[in-house]
Amino acid sequence: PGHANLFQTIIDCGFLSDEPIKVGREEIKPREFTLKVLRPLLTKGDEKDIGLLIIEVKNKRRAIRYICIDYYDEKNKITSMARMTGYTCSIITQCIKNYPFYGIVPPENLGMDKDICVFIKNELKKREIIVKTSKLD
Protein backbone atom coordinates (compact mmCIF):
# COMPACT_ATOMS: atom_id res chain seq x y z
CA PRO A 1 0.00 0.00 0.00
CA GLY A 2 1.21 3.48 -0.86
CA HIS A 3 3.71 2.36 -3.53
CA ALA A 4 2.06 4.32 -6.35
CA ASN A 5 1.83 7.50 -4.25
CA LEU A 6 5.46 7.17 -3.17
CA PHE A 7 6.69 6.88 -6.75
CA GLN A 8 4.40 9.66 -7.92
CA THR A 9 6.03 11.90 -5.29
CA ILE A 10 9.50 10.89 -6.53
CA ILE A 11 8.44 11.74 -10.10
CA ASP A 12 6.79 15.03 -9.04
CA CYS A 13 9.96 16.05 -7.20
CA GLY A 14 11.97 15.61 -10.39
CA PHE A 15 14.12 12.66 -9.28
CA LEU A 16 13.47 10.82 -12.57
CA SER A 17 14.04 13.79 -14.85
CA ASP A 18 16.58 13.60 -17.68
CA GLU A 19 16.96 17.39 -17.58
CA PRO A 20 20.48 18.13 -16.27
CA ILE A 21 20.81 20.23 -13.11
CA LYS A 22 23.88 21.91 -11.68
CA VAL A 23 25.18 20.43 -8.43
CA GLY A 24 28.25 22.28 -7.29
CA ARG A 25 30.44 22.55 -10.39
CA GLU A 26 28.96 19.49 -12.08
CA GLU A 27 25.84 18.95 -14.15
CA ILE A 28 23.98 15.72 -13.49
CA LYS A 29 20.74 14.17 -14.61
CA PRO A 30 18.50 13.50 -11.60
CA ARG A 31 17.45 10.15 -13.09
CA GLU A 32 21.06 8.92 -13.20
CA PHE A 33 21.62 10.05 -9.60
CA THR A 34 18.41 8.36 -8.41
CA LEU A 35 19.30 5.08 -10.15
CA LYS A 36 22.81 5.17 -8.69
CA VAL A 37 21.38 5.54 -5.18
CA LEU A 38 18.43 3.13 -5.52
CA ARG A 39 19.91 0.29 -7.59
CA PRO A 40 21.99 -1.23 -4.75
CA LEU A 41 18.97 -1.05 -2.44
CA LEU A 42 16.54 -2.53 -4.96
CA THR A 43 18.81 -5.43 -5.90
CA LYS A 44 19.38 -6.57 -2.32
CA GLY A 45 18.03 -9.88 -1.22
CA ASP A 46 16.91 -13.04 -2.90
CA GLU A 47 15.42 -13.01 -6.37
CA LYS A 48 13.18 -15.92 -5.38
CA ASP A 49 9.94 -13.99 -5.23
CA ILE A 50 6.28 -14.68 -4.76
CA GLY A 51 3.64 -12.95 -6.87
CA LEU A 52 0.20 -12.23 -5.46
CA LEU A 53 -2.65 -10.74 -7.44
CA ILE A 54 -6.10 -10.16 -5.98
CA ILE A 55 -8.88 -8.62 -8.05
CA GLU A 56 -12.33 -7.95 -6.68
CA VAL A 57 -15.15 -7.15 -9.06
CA LYS A 58 -18.48 -5.94 -7.71
CA ASN A 59 -21.72 -4.82 -9.26
CA LYS A 60 -25.33 -4.67 -8.07
CA ARG A 61 -25.94 -8.38 -8.70
CA ARG A 62 -22.74 -10.09 -7.56
CA ALA A 63 -19.21 -9.80 -6.27
CA ILE A 64 -16.31 -12.02 -7.36
CA ARG A 65 -12.72 -12.31 -6.18
CA TYR A 66 -9.92 -13.59 -8.42
CA ILE A 67 -6.74 -14.70 -6.67
CA CYS A 68 -3.47 -15.72 -8.26
CA ILE A 69 -0.45 -16.76 -6.21
CA ASP A 70 2.70 -17.61 -8.11
CA TYR A 71 6.21 -18.62 -7.06
CA TYR A 72 9.73 -18.34 -8.37
CA ASP A 73 10.40 -21.08 -10.95
CA GLU A 74 13.38 -22.97 -9.51
CA LYS A 75 13.81 -25.24 -12.54
CA ASN A 76 13.94 -22.46 -15.16
CA LYS A 77 15.26 -19.70 -12.83
CA ILE A 78 12.39 -17.31 -13.67
CA THR A 79 10.98 -14.86 -11.14
CA SER A 80 7.28 -14.87 -10.40
CA MET A 81 7.10 -11.25 -11.57
CA ALA A 82 8.58 -12.23 -14.94
CA ARG A 83 6.27 -15.24 -15.21
CA MET A 84 3.10 -13.34 -14.35
CA THR A 85 3.84 -10.38 -16.61
CA GLY A 86 5.77 -11.97 -19.48
CA TYR A 87 3.62 -15.05 -19.92
CA THR A 88 0.42 -13.01 -19.70
CA CYS A 89 1.71 -10.52 -22.27
CA SER A 90 2.63 -13.34 -24.65
CA ILE A 91 -0.76 -15.02 -24.23
CA ILE A 92 -2.66 -11.78 -24.78
CA THR A 93 -0.59 -11.13 -27.90
CA GLN A 94 -1.76 -14.51 -29.20
CA CYS A 95 -5.36 -13.39 -28.53
CA ILE A 96 -4.89 -10.16 -30.43
CA LYS A 97 -3.55 -11.88 -33.54
CA ASN A 98 -6.86 -13.74 -33.86
CA TYR A 99 -9.08 -10.88 -32.67
CA PRO A 100 -11.75 -10.15 -35.31
CA PHE A 101 -11.63 -6.34 -35.00
CA TYR A 102 -8.99 -3.88 -36.18
CA GLY A 103 -7.14 -0.95 -34.67
CA ILE A 104 -6.36 -0.39 -31.04
CA VAL A 105 -7.59 -3.21 -28.81
CA PRO A 106 -7.91 -2.18 -25.14
CA PRO A 107 -7.28 -5.17 -22.82
CA GLU A 108 -10.66 -4.64 -21.18
CA ASN A 109 -12.29 -5.45 -24.54
CA LEU A 110 -10.52 -8.80 -24.58
CA GLY A 111 -11.72 -9.39 -21.03
CA MET A 112 -15.34 -9.01 -22.11
CA ASP A 113 -15.03 -12.01 -24.43
CA LYS A 114 -15.69 -15.23 -22.49
CA ASP A 115 -13.79 -17.43 -24.99
CA ILE A 116 -10.73 -15.22 -24.75
CA CYS A 117 -10.87 -15.29 -20.94
CA VAL A 118 -11.04 -19.10 -20.98
CA PHE A 119 -8.11 -19.21 -23.43
CA ILE A 120 -6.00 -16.91 -21.23
CA LYS A 121 -6.74 -18.92 -18.07
CA ASN A 122 -5.99 -22.22 -19.84
CA GLU A 123 -2.70 -20.93 -21.23
CA LEU A 124 -1.68 -19.60 -17.81
CA LYS A 125 -2.59 -22.97 -16.28
CA LYS A 126 -0.28 -24.72 -18.79
CA ARG A 127 2.49 -22.56 -17.30
CA GLU A 128 1.37 -23.45 -13.76
CA ILE A 129 -0.10 -20.02 -13.05
CA ILE A 130 -3.51 -20.67 -11.54
CA VAL A 131 -6.27 -18.07 -11.15
CA LYS A 132 -8.86 -19.09 -8.54
CA THR A 133 -12.33 -17.57 -8.47
CA SER A 134 -14.59 -17.20 -5.45
CA LYS A 135 -17.78 -15.32 -4.61
CA LEU A 136 -17.60 -12.46 -2.14
CA ASP A 137 -20.20 -12.03 0.58
Side-chain angles (χ1 to χ4, degrees), residues 6-132:
L6 172 65
F7 268 87
Q8 189 59 55
T9 300
I10 289 170
I11 291 167
D12 292 345
C13 289
F15 281 97
L16 298 179
S17 171
D18 281 321
E19 190 66 37
I21 60 170
K22 191 161 185 159
V23 178
R25 295 181 181 164
E26 302 291 324
E27 279 202 356
I28 64 166
K29 293 181 180 179
R31 177 194 281 293
E32 290 176 9
F33 168 80
T34 302
L35 289 174
K36 189 77 166 174
V37 171
L38 291 180
R39 183 168 279 126
L41 300 171
L42 296 176
T43 56
K44 278 185 177 179
D46 195 343
E47 70 174 10
K48 296 179 182 175
D49 64 343
I50 297 173
L52 172 64
L53 175 66
I54 301 172
I55 300 172
E56 294 182 352
V57 181
K58 299 175 186 177
N59 66 20
K60 292 178 183 176
R61 294 181 294 135
R62 63 185 178 154
I64 300 173
R65 175 182 290 142
Y66 299 92
I67 298 177
C68 181
I69 302 173
D70 188 59
Y71 301 89
Y72 177 80
D73 180 345
E74 294 277 352
K75 180 182 174 194
N76 297 303
K77 307 286 188 241
I78 302 173
T79 64
S80 171
M81 179 62 84
R83 289 169 42 79
M84 291 179 78
T85 57
Y87 292 165
T88 304
C89 182
S90 170
I91 293 164
I92 289 174
T93 301
Q94 293 173 51
C95 292
I96 292 172
K97 77 177 175 76
N98 297 323
Y99 196 65
F101 302 103
Y102 297 94
I104 297 170
V105 182
E108 56 270 21
N109 286 8
L110 295 174
M112 300 302 275
D113 185 310
K114 188 173 183 173
D115 291 336
I116 289 176
C117 286
V118 169
F119 174 78
I120 291 169
K121 282 185 176 180
N122 287 338
E123 290 298 310
L124 287 171
K125 188 175 182 179
K126 286 180 189 176
R127 293 157 179 84
E128 298 179 0
I129 297 175
I130 310 298
V131 178
K132 295 181 180 177

